[in-house]
Amino acid sequence: MLLQQLVNGIIAGSVYALFALGFNLVLGAMNILNVAQGAVFTWSALVGFYLIKVYGLPFPLALLAAVAAGGLLNMLIEILVFRPLRNRGGSAMSTLVASIGVSMILISAAQTASDAQVERFPFGTLPEIQWSALSVRLTFTQAVVLVTTLATMIGTYLLLHRTRLGKAIRTMAFNERTAKMLGIPTESVARWTFFLSGALGGLAGVLLGLMFSTVHFLMGEPYVLKGFAAIVIGGFGSVIGVIVASIMIGLAEVFSTVIGVGAFRDVIIFGMLFMFLLFRPNGLFGKDEEVRP
Amino acid sequence: MTTLLSRVAGPVRTVSRRAQTLLIATALTVGAGTFTASAEDIKIGVPLSLSGSVAFAGTKMKEAMELAFEEVNSSGYLGANKLVPVWADDRSSQPQGISVTQQLALRDNVSAIVGYTASNICLASLPVAQELKVPTLQSDCVVPGLDAIGNYVYNGVRPYESFVLELVDKLVPAKQIKTAAVIYLRENPVFTRLAPAITKAFEKNGVKVVATEAVTGGGDADFSAQLTAIANTKPDILAILTLGGQVGPVMVQARRAGMEKTLFIGEQSFDSADVRRIAGPNAAGSYYPSHWFADSPLPRNQAYVKAYRAKYNREPDTFATNGYNGVWLIAQIVKKAGSGDRAKILAAMESPGVYDTVFGTEGKTKFENRMLTMTPFFFTIEADGKIARFEGK
Amino acid sequence: MSFDGIALWIRIYDHTIATALINSIVSLGLYISLRAGLFNLSVVAFQALGAYTAGILALRLNLPTPIGVAAGVALSLLIGTVLVFPILRLKGHYLAIATLSFGAIVQALALNLDDLTNGPAGLIGVPKTVTVWHLLVVLIAALYCTWIVQFSRMGRAWDAIRTDESAARAMGINVEHYRLVAFLATTALSALAGALWAHVNRVIVPSEFGFGQLTLALVNTLLGGISSPIGPVLGAIIVSTMPDWLYKFEQHREALIGAILVVVVIYLPNGLVAPLRTLKSALARRFNRTALGTAGK
C-alpha cells in the first residue's frame, strides 16, 4: 500500500506543480500574486469539458484548445486589469486585491455557465485501462498526467533558460528597470508571461478534472493556497524548487492519511508553510538574497 | 439630523399625518391577513440557498416549487385565493439565513414559510422563525433536533439516520457482510454525525469497521489517499457519506483503487441522476434509502414527475421533490386554515390531519411530533445503471 | 418617518444592520494595518478565535457575555503577540501568505477539534445578548479611538512607514514597534468583532471564517478607502446592505463584489471617501484640527 500512496502523492503533487509553476512565473516576472489563477484553472477545465461533451472534439485537440483558452484568459486579465493598475502605480497589495476581485467574477461566471452542477469528462475520453504491478495500480489517465506534467516541467525549464523569451522573463524577474534598459519589450513579455502562466494553470485544470472525474465551478479553490505553499516552500523564483515543493505537498497530504491524521492534512500543509515563512522564507531553493517582496 | 429634530418639535399635523399613514398601513396588513371571503394573495416566504456551496440543491428545489405554486394557483385549489411565493436567497450562509427569515417575517409579512435547503441554515434560522411566530415548514434539512425548536416549526422531512441504519440492518445478513469502511465529509454536520452512527450500526450487526477516512472539504476531488488506505483493508462494504457531487467521483476512484467488488451504501445524496451519470458502471452495487422515488406508481407522483419532465427537460431528484411536496403541504394546511392568518395556519398545523404527499407509495402522511411521517424505501443501483427496489434479499 | 416607522424598520433589518456593524468593526481593524503598510490578512482568523472563545465560554461555562468577549480579545492578543515577532519582518506578499495560511490553520482546527468546537455543526445556542445598540456604541468608540490615534504621533509614524519604510527608519522611527502596535490593534478589533458576533448570530460555524469572509473585509475597507477611518465603515455598511437594495442581482452578488473590488482598486485607489475628504479638510480647518495643525507639538 505504501508504494501506491507514494504514487498517489507524486501524481497529486505533479498537478500542484503545474499550477504553482504558473503562479511562480507571474510572481517572479511581474511581482503579482495572481489569485485568479484558480479561476483560470477552473475555466480551462470547463472549456475542455464542453468541447468534448458538446462538440465531440477528440481529447488531444480539446486539451490544446482548453490550454490555449486558459492562456488567453490570463492574458486578457493582464490587459484589462493588471496593466491599467500598474500604469496607475498599483502596489503589491492592490494587485493581489484586484486579482481576488477578478477571481470572484470568473468563479461567479463559471457558476452561471455550469448551472452550479458537477460534471465529469465523458467516459471514454481517455481509454479506461489500468495497469497493475508490484501492488501499484496506475490508470492510463494517471500515466498521461504524469508524462504530461513531466514534459511540461522540462519544457518550462528549457523555455526559461534556453530561449530568448525565457531570458527576457528572467531578466524582468530580476529587475524590470534593467530589463527595460536592455531594450526588452517588457509589455509584450508581460503578456506572454501571463499567457504561459494561464496555459499551465489550464493544463492542470483539464488533467485534474480528467483524473478525478470532477469538473465544477469551485474546483480551483483548494489549489490557490497550495500553490502559495509551493512557491514559498520551494523558494520563490526557482522552477526546480517549486516542483520539488509541490511534490512534497502532495506526499505530505497523502501520508497524513496514512498515519491517520488525514482530517488534519490542511493544518499540516499550512503549518509547514508557516514554519518556512518563519524560519526560512527563501524556501528550499530560493536564492539567499534579501527577502523578495 | 435637523429634519428629525423638526419632525419631533414640528407642527402636530405632521406627526398625526405620519401616524395616519402608519395606521392605514397596519390596517391593510392586518386586513390582508384576516380577509378570507374574496380573492386574496397569501404570501408564502420561500428561503432557499440559490447561490454558494449548496446552490446545486437550492436551485433544484426552486424549480420544483415554482411548478407546485403554479399548480396550486391554476387548479384553483384554494378557491379564489392564490399562494404568492416570496423567494429569498440565503446564499448558503447562516447570517444571511437569519436575515432573510427576519425580512420575510417582518418586512414581507408572509403568512407562512416553506423552504430552507441546508441543515446548518435550518439550525440558525428556524429559532428566529419561532421567535417571530411565523408558521414554518422546513422541507429539506435532515439534521436531527429540528423538532425541538418550537411549536411554530414543522418538518417536511425527517432525519435520515434511522433510514440508513435500517438499511444496514437489512443489508448485513442479506449480503453476509463481515467488514466495513466509512468515508465521510468532515465539513458537513449531517455526515459527521452519521459516520459514528453508521459505525455503531455496523458493529451492532457484528460487522467490523476496518477503516474510517475523512474528506476535508466539499470541493475536494482527490480521494486517492483515503481510498487507497481503505482498499488496503479490503472491506465488504464502503459507506460513502459525502455531498452528491462527490459521491460519483468517490465511486469511480474507489473502484480504481481496487475495490471492485465492494458494495457502497449511502444516504439521500446517492439518489440523484448526477451520481449515476458521473459514476457510470462504477455505481453498481450501491444501496441507499429514500423516502421518494420517481417510479412510485402513486398517481400524484406520476403526475408530478411528468409535469417536471415536461417543464424542465430532466428528471426530478429528491431535493426538488422535497421542495415540491413542501409547497403542496402548505397549500393543504392553508386550505384547512381557511385564511392567510398566521394564528389560523398554526392551528391548522397543530390539529391532527392527514395530508396528500408524493412521497412513498401510500400517498398519505401526517405530522407526528411536528415531523412528517415517512416510509423509507431501499434501492440499489444495478450494473446497467438502473435503480431497483431492495427488499432485503 | 415616525419613530414607530424607524423602530419597525430596525426590527426588520435587525440582523442585516448588526452584520453591517460587525463588518464595520472588522474593516476598521483591517484599515489600521493597511495604513501602517501591513498586508495583514489575519483579520478573519482572529475573528474566529474571538467568536469561538466567547461562544465556548458562554455555552459551556455559562459565563456572562462581557467576560467571554474580554477573554476572546485577550486570547487573540496573546496569540497575536506570540505570532507577531517572527511574522512582522516579512514583507508584502510573504506577510499576506503568512497571515492567510494562519487563517487556514485556524479554520481547519475549528473544523476538526470536535470536542472543543463541535466541529462542522458549530456552536449552537449562544445566548443573544448583544443588540444593535451595543454594537453601535462599540463602533463609535472604536471610530473615535482610531480617529484620535490617526492624528497622533503613532498615526503619522504609520503613514511614514507605509510610504517609505527605509526613509522612515532613517528618520529614527522605530518601525518594528509601530508595526507591532498596528498588528495588535487589528487583532484586538477583529477578535472583538468576532466575540460580539457570536452573541448576535447565536451560531458559529467554521465555514464562515474562510476566504469568502476575508474578501468581504477587503472589499469593505477598500471601497471606503483608507484615507480616513470613516472609509471602511462606510464601505462595510454599503456592501453589507447591498443584498437589500440589489434584489434582482442577488445571484450575481459575487461577481458584483469582485467587479467593485477591481474597479475600486484601479480607478478609485482612495476609495469612495476621497472626494469627500476635501470637504472634510475644509471643515477640519474650520475647527482648527488639520493634519498639519498637530505637527507643531
Side-chain angles (χ1 to χ4, degrees):
Chain A
M1 183 203 36
L2 281 182
L3 214 53
Q4 176 71 56
Q5 294 285 32
L6 198 68
V7 171
N8 290 340
I10 293 180
I11 295 180
S14 34
V15 182
Y16 294 157
L18 277 184
F19 190 82
L21 274 177
F23 248 149
N24 200 22
L25 263 180
V26 163
L27 185 59
M30 326 267 318
N31 198 25
I32 294 177
L33 200 55
N34 183 14
V35 172
Q37 179 91 340
V40 170
F41 165 97
T42 305
W43 265 103
S44 300
L46 279 174
V47 166
F49 167 71
Y50 282 125
L51 287 177
I52 297 183
K53 172 118 190 266
V54 177
Y55 297 105
L57 277 187
F59 176 70
L61 216 60
L63 181 64
L64 234 64
V67 166
L72 284 170
L73 183 58
N74 221 23
M75 205 160 81
L76 203 66
I77 299 175
E78 200 273 332
I79 298 176
L80 289 178
V81 175
F82 291 119
R83 181 116 316 256
L85 187 56
R86 292 190 112 225
N87 290 343
R88 286 179 161 74
S91 63
M93 183 168 66
S94 46
T95 45
L96 177 63
V97 169
S99 74
I100 294 178
V102 171
S103 176
M104 289 172 78
I105 298 176
L106 288 177
I107 293 184
S108 177
Q111 176 176 353
T112 313
S114 66
D115 219 5
Q117 300 303 308
V118 176
E119 302 283 352
R120 66 156 293 156
F121 283 95
F123 283 98
T125 302
L126 283 182
E128 308 266 325
I129 320 174
Q130 193 177 54
W131 302 297
S132 208
L134 295 175
S135 81
V136 172
R137 295 156 175 273
L138 195 69
T139 62
F140 185 79
T141 311
Q142 287 172 318
V144 166
V145 169
L146 272 176
V147 167
T148 315
T149 45
L150 195 63
T152 312
M153 287 185 229
I154 297 179
T156 311
Y157 185 83
L158 288 175
L159 184 103
L160 281 180
H161 291 267
R162 296 285 152 86
T163 66
R164 266 181 63 193
L165 177 63
K167 287 211 180 75
I169 295 178
R170 282 187 301 131
T171 316
M172 266 184 78
F174 180 72
N175 189 316
E176 193 170 339
R177 219 171 284 163
T178 312
K180 278 206 181 96
M181 286 198 306
L182 289 173
I184 293 176
T186 47
E187 274 206 22
S188 130
V189 171
R191 237 159 266 165
W192 280 109
T193 311
F194 266 85
F195 182 85
L196 276 172
S197 161
L200 284 168
L203 184 61
V206 176
L207 288 179
L208 217 95
L210 210 53
M211 217 174 26
F212 299 128
S213 322
T214 304
V215 177
H216 82 289
F217 72 101
L218 285 175
M219 64 190 285
E221 298 238 318
Y223 293 95
V224 174
L225 275 183
K226 287 187 198 148
F228 286 175
I231 309 179
V232 169
I233 296 176
F236 160 88
S238 158
V239 169
I240 306 220
V242 162
I243 295 176
V244 168
S246 304
I247 308 244
M248 264 175 62
I249 292 176
L251 288 172
E253 277 189 343
V254 165
F255 280 101
S256 60
T257 299
V258 170
I259 60 178
V261 288
F264 288 91
R265 48 159 66 168
D266 281 349
V267 176
I268 293 175
I269 303 280
F270 297 122
M272 255 167 58
L273 171 57
F274 208 68
M275 288 297 130
F276 265 89
L277 280 172
L278 290 186
F279 301 115
R280 213 193 142 86
N282 277 330
L284 294 172
F285 290 84
K287 322 272 188 292
D288 270 325
E289 316 160 337
E290 51 160 85
V291 174
R292 281 282 237 119
Chain B
M1 250 316 184
T2 41
T3 38
L4 205 69
L5 284 170
S6 71
R7 200 144 298 160
V8 168
V12 179
R13 56 188 151 88
T14 323
V15 174
S16 70
R17 187 153 34 114
R18 294 282 174 270
Q20 269 181 46
T21 333
L22 197 60
L23 207 63
I24 295 174
T26 322
L28 280 174
T29 321
V30 171
T34 52
F35 224 66
T36 49
S38 41
E40 172 199 348
D41 277 354
I42 300 178
K43 291 199 277 192
I44 306 286
V46 194
L48 294 170
S49 301
L50 298 172
S51 55
S53 53
V54 209
F56 67 91
T59 43
K60 297 256 179 67
M61 281 179 81
K62 180 167 186 208
E63 287 175 348
M65 288 167 108
E66 271 173 346
L67 180 63
F69 277 114
E70 266 169 36
E71 287 179 352
V72 169
N73 292 332
S74 62
S75 67
Y77 182 72
L78 292 173
N81 301 337
K82 299 233 179 279
L83 280 187
V84 176
V86 183
W87 307 101
D89 180 9
D90 58 34
R91 298 206 292 267
S92 308
S93 118
Q94 291 166 306
Q96 193 60 15
I98 296 180
S99 282
V100 300
T101 306
Q102 278 179 336
Q103 285 158 25
L104 288 172
L106 296 168
R107 181 187 61 193
D108 303 306
N109 276 308
V110 296
S111 301
I113 290 179
V114 68
Y116 295 116
T117 314
S119 287
N120 54 343
I121 311 260
C122 272
L123 285 170
S125 314
L126 292 175
V128 176
Q130 168 70 22
E131 243 174 51
L132 295 173
K133 301 207 185 338
V134 181
T136 305
L137 178 68
Q138 71 84 359
S139 322
D140 198 51
C141 302
V142 294
V143 73
L146 299 179
D147 52 341
I149 293 186
N151 61 330
Y152 278 87
V153 176
Y154 278 72
N155 299 276
V157 288
R158 52 174 53 227
Y160 252 63
E161 245 171 64
S162 56
F163 298 167
V164 177
L165 304 185
E166 221 183 292
L167 181 57
V168 170
D169 288 341
K170 278 186 152 68
L171 263 182
V172 171
K175 301 287 168 186
Q176 293 173 344
I177 296 174
K178 303 273 182 315
T179 54
V182 178
I183 183 168
Y184 72 102
L185 177 61
R186 252 270 114 205
E187 216 180 46
N188 190 306
V190 172
F191 301 120
T192 32
R193 267 191 67 114
L194 196 48
I198 208 177
T199 303
K200 269 215 242 350
F202 277 129
E203 287 167 351
K204 193 184 72 174
N205 278 289
V207 175
K208 183 150 177 274
V209 176
V210 289
T212 308
E213 293 292 341
V215 168
T216 7
D220 279 8
D222 178 7
F223 312 108
S224 55
Q226 295 96 326
L227 292 171
T228 305
I230 291 178
N232 198 40
T233 60
K234 300 199 199 333
D236 294 327
I237 187 168
L238 172 64
I240 304 181
L241 309 174
T242 62
L243 289 177
Q246 295 177 304
V247 172
V250 169
M251 289 180 175
V252 173
Q253 292 175 37
R255 297 274 183 243
R256 216 162 53 193
M259 293 192 270
E260 279 115 9
K261 297 279 173 19
T262 310
L263 303 175
F264 297 135
I265 181 175
E267 49 86 76
Q268 189 175 340
S269 52
F270 267 43
D271 174 35
S272 139
D274 284 346
V275 169
R276 296 190 291 279
R277 179 168 50 87
I278 294 186
N282 299 296
S286 300
Y287 294 86
Y288 62 94
S290 179
H291 55 281
W292 168 81
F293 56 112
D295 295 328
S296 155
L298 201 60
R300 236 192 133 83
N301 180 55
Q302 287 301 314
Y304 153 64
V305 173
K306 204 159 138 208
Y308 187 97
R309 261 191 217 129
K311 185 164 173 167
Y312 296 112
N313 218 359
R314 71 174 107 94
E315 296 298 307
D317 65 8
T318 318
F319 295 119
T321 314
N322 286 343
Y324 178 89
N325 206 51
V327 173
W328 266 106
L329 273 173
I330 272 287
Q332 294 174 69
I333 291 172
V334 168
K335 183 159 185 167
K336 209 161 108 176
S339 89
D341 172 57
R342 286 182 189 170
K344 294 219 174 90
I345 292 183
L346 180 69
M349 275 171 152
E350 286 175 337
S351 68
V354 171
Y355 301 99
D356 289 329
T357 176
V358 294
F359 294 156
T361 44
E362 281 150 32
K364 299 275 180 222
T365 181
K366 57 183 169 35
F367 286 112
E368 252 172 26
N369 293 327
R370 294 195 286 274
M371 281 217 185
L372 207 65
T373 56
M374 296 196 315
T375 331
F377 297 93
F378 305 109
F379 299 94
T380 174
I381 304 180
E382 295 181 332
D384 52 1
K386 291 239 183 331
I387 311 175
R389 290 280 296 278
F390 172 67
E391 313 283 344
K393 314 263 181 320
Chain C
M1 245 217 248
S2 72
F3 282 126
D4 273 342
I6 297 181
L8 182 64
W9 189 85
I10 293 184
R11 255 195 99 204
I12 294 177
Y13 290 104
D14 165 74
H15 206 260
T16 315
I17 299 176
T19 310
L21 291 174
I22 297 267
N23 288 341
S24 303
I25 300 176
V26 176
S27 303
L28 204 51
L30 186 58
Y31 162 86
I32 294 178
S33 274
L34 293 181
R35 266 206 91 100
L38 277 180
F39 207 167
N40 176 10
L41 298 180
S42 66
V43 287
V44 175
F46 288 114
Q47 227 186 325
L49 280 170
Y52 269 103
T53 310
I56 291 174
L57 289 180
L59 272 182
R60 305 270 168 87
L61 300 180
N62 274 319
L63 290 179
T65 307
I67 297 194
V69 171
V73 177
L75 182 65
S76 300
L77 281 176
L78 186 66
I79 296 183
T81 314
V82 166
L83 290 178
V84 146
F85 286 117
I87 290 194
L88 284 192
R89 58 191 173 85
L90 296 173
K91 315 236 168 68
H93 290 310
Y94 281 100
L95 183 61
I97 295 179
T99 44
L100 265 180
S101 48
F102 176 61
I105 294 176
V106 170
Q107 196 183 21
L109 286 177
L111 189 63
N112 286 296
L113 297 179
D114 281 3
D115 295 330
L116 191 59
T117 64
N118 206 20
L123 299 176
I124 304 175
V126 182
K128 182 169 165 50
T129 48
V130 172
T131 65
V132 166
W133 304 111
H134 293 134
L135 292 174
L136 208 53
V137 166
V138 170
L139 179 62
I140 292 179
L143 259 177
Y144 182 70
C145 294
T146 311
W147 194 278
I148 303 252
V149 168
Q150 172 140 339
F151 288 109
S152 74
R153 206 146 129 218
M154 184 120 56
R156 291 199 308 277
W158 285 340
D159 288 339
I161 297 173
R162 183 182 80 248
T163 318
D164 189 336
E165 191 181 317
S166 339
R169 227 183 273 270
M171 286 200 316
I173 295 182
N174 185 349
V175 171
E176 270 69 45
H177 167 76
Y178 286 110
R179 289 180 112 201
L180 171 66
V181 174
F183 185 88
L184 289 181
T186 304
T187 303
L189 278 174
S190 311
L192 181 62
L196 292 170
W197 178 238
H199 288 283
V200 166
N201 203 36
R202 281 175 277 201
V203 179
I204 294 287
V205 277
S207 53
E208 62 179 282
F209 297 112
F211 206 64
Q213 190 69 3
L214 180 62
T215 50
L216 208 60
L218 280 169
V219 174
N220 295 342
T221 314
L222 292 174
L223 180 63
I226 58 169
S227 49
S228 142
I230 297 283
V233 175
L234 190 66
I237 292 179
I238 294 179
V239 174
S240 302
T241 54
M242 211 166 39
D244 300 303
W245 40 267
L246 266 187
Y247 246 91
K248 293 207 186 67
F249 299 108
E250 247 313 316
Q251 285 200 293
H252 304 287
R253 185 175 181 268
E254 292 286 304
L256 207 60
I257 293 185
I260 292 178
L261 210 51
V262 173
V263 164
V264 164
V265 157
I266 301 181
Y267 298 106
L268 281 175
N270 284 324
L272 287 178
V273 176
L276 299 173
R277 235 201 142 207
T278 30
L279 187 59
K280 274 202 181 76
S281 331
L283 285 172
R285 237 172 279 132
R286 274 255 223 122
F287 294 105
N288 230 7
R289 263 200 309 140
T290 62
L292 300 167
T294 48
K297 282 217 203 116

